[in-house]
Amino acid sequence: MNSAPLTKESGYEVGDLPEHSEKAFPLRKDFWQAMLYLLPSFVLFSVFVFYPMFRTIYLSFFLTDYDGMPSVFVGLENYAYIFTSDEFLKSLRATILFVLITVPAGVILALFLALIANEKLKGIGFFRTIFSSNMGMSVAASSVIWLFLFHPSLGALNQMLSTLGLSQVEWLLDPTWAIISVSVTTIWMNTGFAFLIILGGLQNIDEHLYENAGIQGAGYWYQLRRITLPMLSPTMFFIVTVSLINAFQTFGQVDILTQGGPAESTNLIVYSIYREAFVNYQFGTASAQAVILFGCILIVTILQFKFGEKKVHYQ
Amino acid sequence: MRMRKRITLYILLILSSIILFFPTVYALMVSFMNGREVLSGAVLPSSFSLDNYKKAFESLPLLSYLWNSLVISAAVMAGQLIVSSLAAFAFVFIKFKGRNALFFLFISTMMVPWEATMIPNFVTIQELGWINSYFGLTVPFFALAFGTFLLRQHFKTIPKELEEASQVAGLSRFQFFYKVVLPVSKTSLVTLGIYGFLTTWNMYLWPLLVTNDETVRTVQIALKQMQTKEVSTDWGVVMAGVIIVVIPTLLLLFGGQKQLQKGLTQGALK
């Protein structure tokens, strides 16, 4: 499941709720009434978000038995263990490499598509539909399609290469190519969503800005640099954050395309947690890895809000 | 627009479409091919035979997987709409102590990645006896901070006069909620509904964890099964499976694209 988009606003606007109900309804029982409306969310969040979060941190300090129950308190040893384990370090490196490939490439591709699809041309709706269609492709479906495209002998990619007289590539069997192949699949899958959001951002830009610029004879690139990109920065900020978080959560592509191989080169962190917990039944060390994943996402979010925000231009 | 710019744009649009859409179209073509055509590396099938589709339904209980996916996606969609709209209503229309703090707590759940908490969640589901049950696949996803947030944004635009008028008309708060607030927020509810349905239909990791037999298994897991089942994969059949799995979401997406775009950008940026 994709993560729910984390928005720009989440940290901020909390304070400016409208003073709606003050007059209309009596204030007295308001608190308990509100709690009643919030109860379902609150119970569910407690059971499936807050409790497991703390439980994960707790488990990361223990060795666990075969039922996954904590047996021996080991303090920070699980962390010491994973950070000296070659496997986990490789997994971290692969994850960072994967994030550095997919996020910039995916966002730039989506921006390019949104820019060319934002022009007023005949039949533009058709192109927009095509560009956003990948949003409906599930992880499993996309991965299976690409698994076939990457097939060493039957796959379309190698067939194209041989038609062009080039040597074939071991897309999923060569450690260097495998991470690129998983990245390509991911970028292809995620363009639809990023495209739709950026296109929405482009359409929100006030047309008058362009009209004024057009009269003064500004060229396309000048307008892009001086009007479009600055006005689009809140949207870009949003989509970069969402893409970063999504990239850290990648699982399905790896499970279907490579199972983490070859030589651990695509063993992204969520896949590593999954294997440690549900194949090796090491809930303690798996939890320590999960805490690291949580930390990564927390850091990304904080950095985004701290530094990203300064470069963002708000209307 | 100048002619040259127009032509350049069309060329870029067409090229991008071909590259982006090729994998999907190719999967569709392969789904019509017989084994020999697949092995020969053909691009187009010699005839549009539905044999692979028949085989796909024969090799796996695909119909029951489709049904499971439908039930689960619809249930999560309904659950999210109810739970999120109730919470959003309280955050907008009821003034109470600690409202901002509580809202912040809600929003903070967006930063906890589901994958980081899956170990205790799996144990919880096991202890509840919800492995291989619809409950395990749906209930954990009912509360959604993003949904609450999206709906709150829309509820805030509802004019105060509506609330006062409904009080004059003698409506209780809950009646105001489902007779006035929900109907005027149809756009956002539809957006959230499509979003919830799509993400649930496409879910992969969680169904993999909490199902281990056919009773509630979803179509996404069926795809993995199809592809790993035989030693020499019958790609035509697998691609037929892929097409069967993506058709419902593509239809939903094409039908609701405008709505989804409007609702999502609104929620994201306003």
Side-chain angles (χ1 to χ4, degrees):
Chain A
M1 184 162 168
N2 277 347
S3 75
L6 195 97
T7 62
K8 165 81 205 66
E9 215 172 348
S10 39
Y12 294 68
E13 231 211 291
V14 190
D16 66 56
L17 294 150
E19 306 289 305
H20 252 303
S21 46
E22 213 161 10
K23 267 187 226 151
F25 293 101
L27 263 169
R28 283 202 115 200
K29 293 175 193 157
D30 276 1
F31 182 78
W32 294 110
Q33 276 210 16
M35 290 306 121
L36 217 56
Y37 283 93
L38 294 172
L39 192 69
S41 294
F42 205 72
V43 170
L44 288 165
F45 280 145
S46 306
V47 176
F48 294 112
V49 180
F50 297 123
Y51 160 74
M53 189 65 246
F54 291 111
R55 181 76 179 171
T56 303
I57 296 171
Y58 177 81
L59 281 176
S60 73
F61 298 125
F62 284 88
L63 288 180
T64 52
D65 59 24
Y66 268 101
D67 297 320
M69 290 300 133
S71 53
V72 186
F73 178 81
V74 292
L76 292 173
E77 256 173 64
N78 283 332
Y79 291 92
Y81 169 75
I82 61 171
F83 276 108
T84 48
S85 119
D86 203 34
E87 208 182 321
F88 182 69
L89 290 178
K90 264 189 177 164
S91 161
L92 264 190
R93 231 172 291 146
T95 309
I96 291 167
L97 184 63
F98 175 79
V99 168
L100 290 179
I101 298 173
T102 54
V103 176
V107 170
I108 290 170
L109 176 66
L111 175 65
F112 166 74
L113 294 173
L115 283 173
I116 61 173
N118 191 37
E119 302 285 344
K120 291 191 186 69
L121 292 168
K122 239 187 215 144
I124 199 74
F126 169 78
F127 292 108
R128 287 180 188 168
T129 306
I130 299 272
F131 293 169
S132 59
S133 66
N134 293 352
M135 209 180 139
M137 306 293 287
S138 67
V139 180
S142 309
S143 307
V144 169
I145 292 176
W146 281 91
L147 185 66
F148 184 56
L149 294 177
F150 290 133
H151 193 284
S153 55
L154 304 175
L157 292 175
N158 270 351
Q159 287 191 14
M160 272 181 230
L161 287 180
S162 63
T163 314
L164 295 171
L166 299 168
S167 63
Q168 310 222 323
V169 172
E170 305 246 274
W171 298 102
L172 298 171
L173 300 173
D174 180 283
T176 322
W177 278 106
I179 190 86
I180 294 173
S181 303
V182 174
S183 303
V184 168
T185 309
T186 308
I187 293 167
W188 182 79
M189 263 173 51
N190 293 340
T191 353
F193 178 74
F195 163 77
L196 263 193
I197 297 289
I198 298 176
L199 184 64
L202 285 173
Q203 288 172 344
N204 274 345
I205 299 175
D206 193 350
E207 296 239 349
H208 295 295
L209 290 171
Y210 292 107
E211 281 162 24
N212 292 343
I215 291 164
Q216 288 162 23
Y220 179 80
W221 296 109
Y222 186 83
Q223 290 187 19
L224 181 68
R225 215 153 35 92
R226 287 302 167 95
I227 303 173
T228 312
L229 293 182
M231 296 308 280
L232 199 60
S233 52
T235 313
M236 297 307 285
F237 176 84
F238 169 75
I239 206 70
V240 168
T241 311
V242 173
S243 308
L244 272 170
I245 292 175
N246 271 340
F248 275 107
Q249 291 172 306
T250 301
F251 174 82
Q253 301 92 301
V254 178
D255 189 45
I256 290 180
L257 288 173
T258 61
Q259 287 87 46
E264 315 278 322
S265 61
T266 59
N267 188 15
L268 302 184
I269 186 158
V270 174
Y271 194 75
S272 165
I273 297 170
Y274 165 80
R275 261 212 311 222
E276 191 75 358
F278 300 108
V279 179
N280 302 336
Y281 294 102
Q282 299 293 331
F283 280 20
T285 42
S287 295
Q289 296 190 14
V291 172
I292 303 299
L293 168 67
F294 177 65
C296 287
I297 290 184
L298 195 69
I299 290 169
V300 165
T301 320
I302 292 171
L303 283 180
Q304 279 285 300
F305 279 106
K306 218 168 168 186
F307 297 107
E309 189 208 352
K310 284 184 196 153
K311 294 196 189 108
V312 172
H313 175 283
Y314 291 101
Q315 273 177 286
Chain B
M1 209 182 296
R2 279 209 314 268
M3 202 58 192
R4 221 177 58 197
K5 188 183 170 194
R6 200 183 286 247
I7 291 171
T8 320
L9 275 170
Y10 271 120
I11 292 173
L12 288 176
L13 283 165
I14 292 166
L15 276 181
S16 311
S17 302
I18 292 173
I19 295 170
L20 274 181
F21 216 47
F22 169 75
T24 314
V25 174
Y26 190 52
L28 183 68
M29 292 304 135
V30 173
S31 78
F32 295 122
M33 290 180 195
N34 60 39
R36 204 154 24 86
E37 284 170 311
V38 176
L39 289 178
S40 71
V43 181
L44 291 170
S46 55
S47 71
F48 288 90
S49 111
L50 293 174
D51 284 355
N52 289 330
Y53 289 85
K54 244 188 265 160
K55 270 189 227 158
F57 278 105
E58 279 161 11
S59 70
L60 285 174
L62 215 49
L63 269 183
S64 89
Y65 292 168
L66 280 166
W67 174 249
N68 289 337
S69 280
L70 185 72
V71 171
I72 291 160
S73 308
V76 170
M77 180 180 78
Q80 283 179 350
L81 287 175
I82 295 168
V83 172
S84 310
S85 61
L86 281 171
F89 180 79
F91 282 128
V92 175
F93 291 102
I94 308 177
K95 203 169 165 9
F96 58 94
K97 233 181 154 182
R99 181 165 74 168
N100 290 345
L102 214 57
F103 184 68
F104 190 74
L105 192 70
F106 265 56
I107 290 300
S108 71
T109 63
M110 288 208 247
M111 288 206 316
V112 180
W114 176 256
E115 291 77 4
T117 55
M118 66 182 171
I119 297 166
N121 276 333
F122 175 78
V123 176
T124 304
I125 294 297
Q126 216 172 19
E127 280 169 1
L128 288 169
W130 284 0
I131 299 286
N132 290 323
S133 109
Y134 285 135
F135 291 113
L137 285 159
T138 53
V139 176
F141 302 99
F142 281 176
L144 183 69
F146 167 66
T148 309
F149 182 77
L150 190 84
L151 293 178
R152 170 179 163 276
Q153 298 303 99
H154 196 258
F155 289 178
K156 272 166 66 178
T157 63
I158 295 172
K160 230 174 161 177
E161 289 73 27
L162 263 183
E163 191 181 10
E164 281 155 12
S166 48
Q167 211 216 355
V168 172
L171 293 184
S172 73
R173 183 171 264 152
F174 190 64
Q175 282 172 326
F176 170 61
F177 168 66
Y178 75 86
K179 283 188 177 162
V180 181
V181 174
L182 290 188
V184 302
S185 310
K186 233 177 20 206
T187 333
S188 302
L189 292 171
V190 172
T191 305
L192 183 59
I194 297 175
Y195 175 87
F197 191 95
L198 279 180
T199 45
T200 312
W201 182 276
N202 291 344
M203 218 191 299
Y204 183 76
L205 174 52
W206 188 245
L208 194 65
L209 286 181
V210 299
T211 63
N212 49 37
D213 66 19
E214 287 174 6
T215 48
V216 297
R217 184 167 285 158
T218 65
V219 278
Q220 307 298 337
I221 309 304
L223 281 185
K224 181 193 161 87
Q225 263 185 302
M226 284 180 117
Q227 171 258 309
T228 46
K229 211 174 160 193
E230 295 133 67
V231 186
S232 65
T233 314
D234 193 344
W235 284 102
V237 179
V238 175
M239 289 305 162
V242 167
I243 300 298
I244 295 166
V245 170
V246 300
I247 279 177
T249 44
L250 285 182
L251 286 181
L252 190 65
L253 196 70
F254 291 156
Q257 190 198 343
K258 280 225 170 79
Q259 186 92 30
L260 198 65
Q261 186 189 347
K262 211 169 104 197
L264 283 179
T265 35
Q266 224 174 30
L269 305 163
K270 277 286 149 189

